[in-house]
Amino acid sequence: DTGVSQNPRHKITKRGQNVTFRCDPISEHNRLYWYRQTLGQGPEFLTYFQNEAQLEKSRLLSDRFSAERPKGSFSTLEIQRTEQGDSAMYLCASSLGGETEAFFGQGTRLTVV
Amino acid sequence: AQKITQTQPGMFVQEKEAVTLDCTYDTSDQSYGLFWYKQPSSGEMIFLIYQGSYDEQNATEGRYSLNFQKARKSANLVISASQLGDSAMYFCGGSNYKLTFGKGTLLTVNP
């Protein structure tokens, strides 16, 4: 399978715990995006990378969120001290450039209890 | 910054009829791309169609076409001959240096 892969698919965690999600993009894609989506809403931009460089992080994100893309390949999104409001679907997408179509993974559904 | 607006929270269409989903965008950039994605109840985001800002012809992909009106800053999606499987959320997206989305339109196709 050469599509975008996200792990885990589902994560249930207790409030206050840290969680980390992984995204493996399509291999030749240099751009990688993270989005958060809640029920009935559109994907909300979190951050994006061009190769290993993180070019922008949404101002809506608190300091509890951090993302990395070492070596410009896979990426991780970490949420520290999770809160119930962090419960959402976290989507990863990759593309060849800024103006080309992005392909999405199946997402990681986070539930904070 | 780019802003994408979808003003139709929900739309209904009869099977086999055509439907238009509205999208307007606001950007000061000269070069950008416009996209439509489908999200069925299973949750995956499926790429449908792309229009570049410099493309003079409207994009088409099978039953999907994008009605691009640059002066009006609109990029409406037209689905011809609707099928029951077209029932889903549809998101319009725009990209200059990053890809952002509107709030979506829930399309319901009635038999």
Side-chain angles (χ1 to χ4, degrees), chain B residues 13-17 19 63 79-84 86 109:
Chain B
V13 66
Q14 287 297 121
E15 195 177 6
K16 300 181 185 177
E17 292 187 350
V19 63
R63 295 187 298 112
I79 305 175
S80 63
S82 296
Q83 302 172 356
L84 296 178
D86 294 335
V109 180

Side-chain angles (χ1 to χ4, degrees), chain A residues 31 33 35 37 40-43 45 48 56 91 98-102 104, chain B residues 31-33 35 37 39 45 47 50 91 95-99 101-103:
Chain A
R31 187 159 289 203
Y33 300 90
Y35 296 89
Q37 188 177 28
Q41 300 295 313
F45 171 81
Y48 82 105
E56 185 171 333
L91 295 168
E99 295 176 24
T100 60
E101 63 267 31
F104 282 79
Chain B
S31 180
Y32 49 88
F35 308 85
Y37 286 80
Q39 189 177 47
M45 290 281 283
F47 167 74
Y50 162 82
F91 293 101
S95 179
N96 39 18
Y97 60 95
K98 69 179 182 185
L99 178 57
F101 292 92
K103 293 184 181 297

